[in-house]
Amino acid sequence: MNLEHFKSSITELVNSKQTTSYKLQAICDFLKNEIDYYDWVGFYFKNGNKEELKLAEFAGEPTDHTIIPFGKGICGQVAVSNQNFVVPDVAAQDNYISCGWKVKSEIVIPIFVKGENIGQIDIDSHSVDPFSKNDEILLEFVCNTVSEIL
């Protein structure tokens, strides 16, 4: 994985003269198309004052999980823990919300604005254990960059 290439491309997308929604969708599309084991890429954000996440822009198959309560599933756990969560094999997780039988692993990285966890990027893969430290570095960069436009 060429981190500098990906970081440069993400920076270009975020700095474009487009709406925030357009930029988030472009990031999802870019990551899904450029990294072969990123089979679903999406952003979830805190839903107003509710203790739940709401699906925003995404690339991949549609999901029924457009609202996720805090604490439920991997995304809901990240909303509470404020920590990255890498799941090499979703079958080994008790508190996992299945998005489809093809999903084998997941990585979720929180997005902070002024110290508050306001959302996250969620990546599903159809491969078991594909995520490395470079994926975490890249997705942390994405979240930090996105936080500047929210």
Side-chain angles (χ1 to χ4, degrees):
M1 174 182 288
N2 182 338
L3 282 175
E4 292 313 310
H5 163 72
F6 287 116
K7 287 179 176 182
S8 174
S9 296
I10 294 297
T11 300
E12 282 182 38
L13 291 172
V14 169
N15 289 338
S16 70
K17 294 182 187 218
Q18 300 290 337
T19 66
T20 299
S21 177
Y22 181 94
K23 293 175 186 183
L24 294 175
Q25 186 63 57
I27 290 168
C28 292
D29 294 339
F30 173 77
L31 290 173
K32 183 180 181 302
N33 292 332
E34 293 296 317
I35 301 175
D36 63 353
Y37 53 93
Y38 283 21
D39 295 299
W40 191 93
V41 178
F43 288 99
Y44 283 93
F45 293 102
K46 187 173 182 198
N47 191 10
N49 292 326
K50 299 176 183 175
E51 294 288 305
E52 65 186 21
L53 298 164
K54 184 175 182 179
L55 180 63
E57 291 73 17
F58 70 94
E61 294 180 14
T63 178
D64 291 336
H65 303 290
T66 58
I67 301 291
I68 298 176
F70 283 13
K72 301 293 181 190
I74 307 308
C75 291
Q77 290 177 74
V78 169
V80 173
S81 73
N82 299 319
Q83 301 290 319
N84 297 354
F85 200 161
V86 181
V87 181
D89 183 356
V90 296
Q93 286 295 313
D94 292 334
N95 189 5
Y96 172 69
I97 299 172
S98 176
C99 293
W101 64 271
K102 295 182 204 171
V103 177
K104 305 291 186 224
S105 57
E106 184 171 8
I107 184 171
V108 179
I109 308 293
I111 301 169
F112 296 95
V113 173
K114 297 179 184 171
E116 180 185 355
N117 182 346
I118 56 94
Q120 53 201 230
I121 192 168
D122 177 22
I123 314 287
D124 292 340
S125 178
H126 297 165
S127 303
V128 174
D129 199 18
F131 304 115
S132 70
K133 187 63 181 170
N134 280 344
D135 292 289
E136 276 193 86
I137 292 167
L138 173 61
L139 297 173
E140 286 172 352
F141 175 83
V142 169
C143 290
N144 288 336
T145 304
V146 164
S147 74
E148 297 171 9
I149 62 170
L150 297 175

